[in-house]
Amino acid sequence: MTEIEGNSEKMDKRKSRSQLLVFTGGAALLAVAVNLAIVAISNRKKKKELPGFELRVNLSASEILNLADRIIAKSKKVHDAVASVPPNKVTYSNVISPLADLEAEQFPQVQSCVFPKLISTSDDVRKASAEAERRIDAHVQMCSKREDVYRVVKAFSTRGEQTSAEQKCFIQCLIRDFERNGLNLTSPKREELLRLRVQIEELSLRYIQNLNDDGTFIPLSEAELDGLPKEFFESLDKNENGQFKVTMRSHHTAAILEHCKVGTTRRMVAMTYGKRCGEVNLSILENLVHLRHKFARLQGYSNYADYAVHYRMARSSAKVFEFLESISDSLTDVAAKELASLKDLKKQEEGESPFGIEDLLYYVKKVEDQEFNLDFVTLKQYFPVSLVLSGIFKIMQDLFGLRFEEVIDAEVWHDDVKLYSVFDLNSGELIGYFFLDLYTREGKYIHTCVVALQNSALLSNGTRQIPVALLISQLQKDVDGHAGLMRFTEVVNLFHEFGHVVQHICNHASFTRISGLRVDSDFVEIPAQILENWCYESVSLKLLSGFHQDITVPIKDEVCESLKKWRHSFSALKLKQEVLYCLFDQIIHCAENVDIIELFKHLHSKVMLGLPMLEGSNPASCFPCSAIGYEAACYSRVWSEVFAADIFVSKFRGDLLNQHIGLQFRNKVLVPGGAKEPIDVLSDFLGREPSIQAFIDSKAEYSL
């Protein structure tokens, strides 16, 4: 029995002898506050040391650049040493171990240089951080193309020396990354591969730049924008005739498609949005797809989709097609019912005007307003930031057997930032740290996310590095500068990102390259998506909520139920629309010489239950993910959501705070990281292979 399994068994026995207490949000705040207050008092007596913490914070601009240069010099020295090993003398200790140790030691150093660009209040530091990232990236790219190092690593892999499963996984990652840069090809083919990569990058950036530069707008009167809120009009410029200039930016078009009562306006805006950059970007997308297929064939794949998916959880484009078509077909009956109700509603409001794709958001919003009676402005008053945080802490601690302690007087980059130590509740072992940087400020990264600052790793000298994470958010303070109230969507986002923090901290992989959040791209979102469900269940919502003027008053049960129904409203129809784009993305990257517009027109009618594509729409204009970022991998978000639903329904839904199940999830799913195949990880936890059925059933359960 491993140490982890032994600790789990002890905790399971201890839990069986105690009664699980469920607190309201106010009680959760009190429980966590008392715990943190005790820790704070003890830490003030003696400043807490940070064992295993290698990250450096508050570096100056010059220190960042100097550290980057030292990182590069050390890396070059190690790679040169590995490259000098004769092929007949390669061993794990003189080839693989130096590279693994280098990655482990340098990861927190690299992040010390790079993460200031996200959070620093100094413009000079942010610029230095960006420059350091550029230098380090260029060096990493150069190292990944070193044929001399590749030959030595390859020689070791064929030698047959006994290695562990984790070691084999790391070696395979090394070889894969070298070979994806063409080092297993002849020199002419390798040069062609690099030339194609440059062309693909240039075209991708041009595509996005065209969309960013697009200045198209539609002049509309206030009557034509009936239904839009006052704040929307205040955000618009006017032309010389006093009409509002509605740009084809997503925040403008989404607002109109969701709120505008005038059907002709919705249609005009949707059509114009769908024609952005027209023939120019269509030509670029066609060229991109052609070049990607050539790139993939050079590496032995029949098409780009198979190349892109080969090392992901799905493994093949055929598997992706099977998955997407199964989801789409299984949702057809529910989606048809949803669409029929929307068509009836439009007929009541607009007469015989046919229902089009441009009407979807507006009538979904209308039904939601009528059916669920959710006032999100009022709801916000039940989510004070401090209360939400205390609830998240309590849920994560209780569910996964963790203990969070604030590190008092920690070195941070802003007064708002806090650092926490994370301990195993049973053994008391320190397993990681995380920073919380929650509030908006000038110069800070504008999205909510988690950044891995230090990864789990076991060095060759027996030293274990522990994980460090950073959670960045953009919450607003109130007018007095105190922690304010959170919108419900912010609560969900924060809970999701805390899922990534726990995922990173609980990982125990031995190699930086396969630890923390550096796992299979089809798998990395699954844990956080599972945990989002806690935001829609009454038991956990009451831990997260409390009226801001009296935190002992939690959110009402009927509101919790309405939120759950709202979450699933028209979800089958919405998901089929997403599947449409995923299928389009897969097909263009599986076959050559595809008529992109005709393909999209065919798929639109087939998947969207007969709803036609908007006349004149250009799929290259409305779906940039196929051009850059998620090419041949747009399915991944749906993939994660489906398997997250299976795990939640099968294991957690009946007992949200069951620590026995939580510890199983922690030990079987989070601890291994990328050291095991994701499908094996999930199958081991579920006791069977993952299924789409729970996901499909959840859509049917809450259908209208």
Side-chain angles (χ1 to χ4, degrees):
M1 179 179 293
T2 66
E3 181 182 349
I4 291 174
E5 291 168 340
N7 289 339
S8 176
E9 182 175 319
K10 292 174 189 173
M11 181 160 290
D12 295 341
K13 290 178 180 176
R14 188 173 68 184
K15 177 183 177 295
S16 67
R17 294 194 298 268
S18 62
Q19 183 178 4
L20 183 64
L21 299 176
V22 179
F23 298 103
T24 64
L29 176 62
L30 179 61
V32 174
V34 169
N35 178 50
L36 294 181
I38 293 170
V39 173
I41 292 169
S42 65
N43 285 347
R44 285 194 185 100
K45 293 177 182 176
K46 182 179 179 180
K47 189 170 182 179
K48 193 175 184 76
E49 302 230 351
L50 300 179
F53 189 94
E54 304 295 334
L55 189 77
R56 298 179 62 186
V57 300
N58 292 330
L59 295 178
S60 67
S62 61
E63 287 173 329
I64 287 172
L65 294 175
N66 288 337
L67 178 57
D69 290 341
R70 293 198 302 274
I71 289 169
I72 292 168
K74 174 68 181 294
S75 175
K76 184 178 184 305
K77 181 178 179 180
V78 171
H79 280 83
D80 288 345
V82 170
S84 69
V85 178
N88 62 338
K89 292 186 177 180
V90 294
T91 64
Y92 185 89
S93 61
N94 65 14
V95 174
I96 306 303
S97 186
L99 294 174
D101 282 355
L102 179 71
E103 286 190 6
E105 292 166 358
Q106 290 204 328
F107 187 81
Q109 296 174 5
V110 170
Q111 296 301 77
S112 298
C113 294
V114 171
F115 94 96
K117 77 173 186 177
L118 304 175
I119 49 81
S120 179
T121 56
S122 164
D123 188 49
D124 287 342
V125 167
R126 292 196 301 272
K127 288 178 180 178
S129 178
E131 171 59 19
E133 183 179 38
R134 186 196 65 77
R135 293 182 193 178
I136 292 169
D137 280 350
H139 171 74
V140 169
Q141 286 297 313
M142 183 195 70
C143 290
S144 69
K145 297 182 180 73
R146 286 192 59 162
E147 186 176 7
D148 51 356
V149 178
Y150 166 66
R151 297 296 177 198
V152 172
V153 173
K154 189 74 172 177
F156 173 80
S157 72
T158 59
R159 190 175 178 86
E161 184 175 319
Q162 187 72 25
T163 54
S164 69
E166 261 193 305
Q167 290 169 342
K168 285 177 183 173
C169 182
F170 175 69
I171 295 164
Q172 288 168 358
C173 288
L174 287 175
I175 293 172
R176 176 196 68 196
D177 292 349
F178 280 127
E179 293 185 349
R180 289 228 148 181
N181 278 302
L183 294 184
N184 57 330
L185 304 177
T186 62
S187 292
K189 286 187 176 181
R190 192 184 310 161
E191 291 172 6
E192 172 70 1
L193 193 77
L194 296 178
R195 185 182 66 81
L196 286 170
R197 178 171 283 160
V198 170
Q199 288 181 295
I200 289 169
E201 289 175 355
E202 289 175 350
L203 283 174
S204 298
L205 292 175
R206 195 185 311 164
Y207 178 103
I208 296 300
Q209 193 62 51
N210 288 341
L211 288 176
N212 289 339
D213 292 343
D214 181 70
T216 304
F217 69 90
I218 305 174
L220 294 168
S221 67
E222 186 170 351
E224 290 172 308
L225 293 169
D226 185 27
L228 275 298
K230 177 184 176 182
E231 297 78 17
F232 179 79
F233 291 102
E234 291 173 349
S235 71
L236 301 177
D237 294 326
K238 288 185 177 181
N239 64 13
E240 61 277 7
N241 297 321
Q243 292 175 302
F244 293 98
K245 297 168 67 173
V246 177
T247 70
M248 291 301 100
R249 300 300 178 189
S250 58
H251 62 287
H252 280 177
T253 56
I256 289 172
L257 293 177
E258 188 170 337
H259 296 285
C260 185
K261 296 179 180 180
V262 185
T264 52
T265 300
R266 294 196 304 271
R267 185 170 181 81
M268 184 192 311
V269 168
M271 290 178 65
T272 306
Y273 184 78
K275 293 177 181 178
R276 293 173 303 154
C277 305
E279 294 300 320
V280 176
N281 269 6
L282 179 62
S283 176
I284 290 177
L285 183 58
E286 289 171 341
N287 287 334
L288 271 173
V289 170
H290 175 67
L291 293 174
R292 285 172 184 155
H293 284 312
K294 289 180 68 175
F295 183 89
R297 284 197 300 272
L298 273 175
Q299 301 207 53
Y301 296 89
S302 58
N303 56 65
Y304 186 79
D306 279 339
Y307 165 83
V309 175
H310 182 76
Y311 288 109
R312 301 175 75 107
M313 191 174 167
R315 290 292 178 261
S316 71
S317 59
K319 183 70 174 177
V320 174
F321 272 119
E322 178 187 349
F323 169 79
L324 291 173
E325 289 176 346
S326 294
I327 293 293
S328 183
D329 292 346
S330 299
L331 291 174
T332 294
D333 289 345
V334 177
K337 184 180 177 182
E338 294 173 347
L339 181 58
S341 69
L342 295 178
K343 286 181 175 180
D344 288 343
L345 188 59
K346 181 173 182 180
K347 189 173 182 179
Q348 295 171 23
E349 184 164 310
E350 298 186 53
E352 297 300 323
S353 175
F355 190 95
I357 195 69
E358 71 278 8
D359 298 315
L360 187 60
L361 286 178
Y362 175 75
Y363 283 102
V364 164
K365 178 72 165 57
K366 196 171 185 67
V367 172
E368 289 175 348
D369 289 344
Q370 292 174 354
E371 293 288 329
F372 307 129
N373 194 31
L374 282 169
D375 182 350
F376 285 99
V377 175
T378 300
L379 188 61
K380 183 177 179 180
Q381 297 179 58
Y382 284 83
F383 295 115
V385 174
S386 58
L387 190 56
V388 172
L389 281 175
S390 71
I392 292 175
F393 277 22
K394 176 160 181 55
I395 291 169
M396 298 295 181
Q397 289 180 145
D398 289 355
L399 186 61
F400 297 117
L402 303 172
R403 187 176 85 249
F404 302 146
E405 294 185 358
E406 183 179 351
V407 179
I408 304 302
D409 296 328
E411 184 179 10
V412 293
W413 48 92
H414 192 275
D415 289 343
D416 289 339
V417 179
K418 295 179 186 263
L419 175 65
Y420 294 86
S421 302
V422 185
F423 298 87
D424 177 81
L425 185 62
N426 188 49
S427 68
E429 176 190 3
L430 174 69
I431 61 173
Y433 302 94
F434 66 92
F435 290 97
L436 286 186
D437 189 349
L438 296 181
Y439 299 103
T440 184
R441 61 176 177 271
E442 186 178 355
K444 183 181 169 185
Y445 184 63
I446 62 172
H447 298 293
T448 299
C449 67
V450 170
V451 181
L453 299 179
Q454 184 170 301
N455 276 11
S456 168
L458 182 63
L459 302 180
S460 59
N461 63 7
T463 302
R464 175 165 285 282
Q465 287 191 342
I466 59 176
V468 181
L470 161 63
L471 195 161
I472 297 175
S473 189
Q474 286 287 346
L475 302 181
Q476 298 287 337
K477 292 186 175 182
D478 64 21
V479 292
D480 297 322
H482 300 118
L485 303 173
M486 295 177 67
R487 297 190 300 271
F488 179 69
T489 52
E490 292 176 325
V491 174
V492 176
N493 288 341
L494 188 62
F495 206 97
H496 176 101
E497 297 305 331
F498 253 98
H500 284 309
V501 170
V502 171
Q503 177 184 6
H504 182 70
I505 296 296
C506 290
N507 174 253
H508 211 249
S510 298
F511 294 92
T512 293
R513 188 171 295 214
I514 56 174
S515 70
L517 303 179
R518 300 179 76 177
V519 294
D520 189 304
S521 299
D522 286 347
F523 176 81
V524 68
E525 288 296 325
I526 291 177
Q529 286 191 330
I530 292 169
L531 288 165
E532 280 187 28
N533 290 283
W534 272 252
C535 296
Y536 298 92
E537 300 291 335
S538 179
V539 171
S540 41
L541 261 176
K542 289 185 178 183
L543 287 169
L544 298 169
S545 66
F547 188 60
H548 69 108
Q549 292 177 336
D550 181 1
I551 61 173
T552 64
V553 180
I555 193 169
K556 295 180 180 179
D557 287 333
E558 53 266 33
V559 176
C560 297
E561 187 61 25
S562 291
L563 284 170
K564 186 185 291 189
K565 291 179 179 178
W566 169 77
R567 180 193 193 190
H568 291 286
S569 67
F570 297 95
S571 57
L573 200 53
K574 294 172 187 174
L575 192 71
K576 280 182 78 75
Q577 188 172 24
E578 188 171 355
V579 168
L580 158 67
Y581 287 114
C582 295
L583 284 168
F584 170 77
D585 174 55
Q586 278 296 302
I587 291 172
I588 65 173
H589 287 107
C590 275
E592 290 200 78
N593 302 317
V594 174
D595 186 323
I596 287 178
I597 292 180
E598 286 302 313
L599 169 66
F600 193 72
K601 188 183 298 184
H602 166 74
L603 284 175
H604 202 289
S605 180
K606 176 186 174 184
V607 177
M608 294 305 296
L609 307 172
L611 287 181
M613 179 181 81
L614 273 170
E615 181 182 350
S617 285
N618 182 345
S621 297
C622 52
F623 194 49
C625 293
S626 277
I628 184 169
Y630 293 93
E631 55 274 14
C634 292
Y635 72 89
S636 190
R637 198 209 65 80
V638 179
W639 178 280
S640 300
E641 184 181 354
V642 168
F643 294 132
D646 186 21
I647 292 171
F648 175 72
V649 170
S650 302
K651 291 289 188 177
F652 290 106
R653 186 164 67 172
D655 195 353
L656 291 172
L657 300 176
N658 187 322
Q659 193 174 93
H660 174 67
I661 300 298
L663 282 171
Q664 283 187 340
F665 183 79
R666 172 182 158 188
N667 293 330
K668 290 186 175 184
V669 178
L670 303 183
V671 166
K676 292 176 66 176
E677 289 291 334
I679 193 69
D680 294 336
V681 168
L682 298 186
S683 298
D684 182 35
F685 178 63
L686 288 168
R688 57 169 172 77
E689 286 196 4
S691 164
I692 71 169
Q693 195 56 49
F695 178 79
I696 300 302
D697 291 344
S698 69
K699 302 304 173 189
E701 181 180 355
Y702 291 97
S703 65
L704 295 173

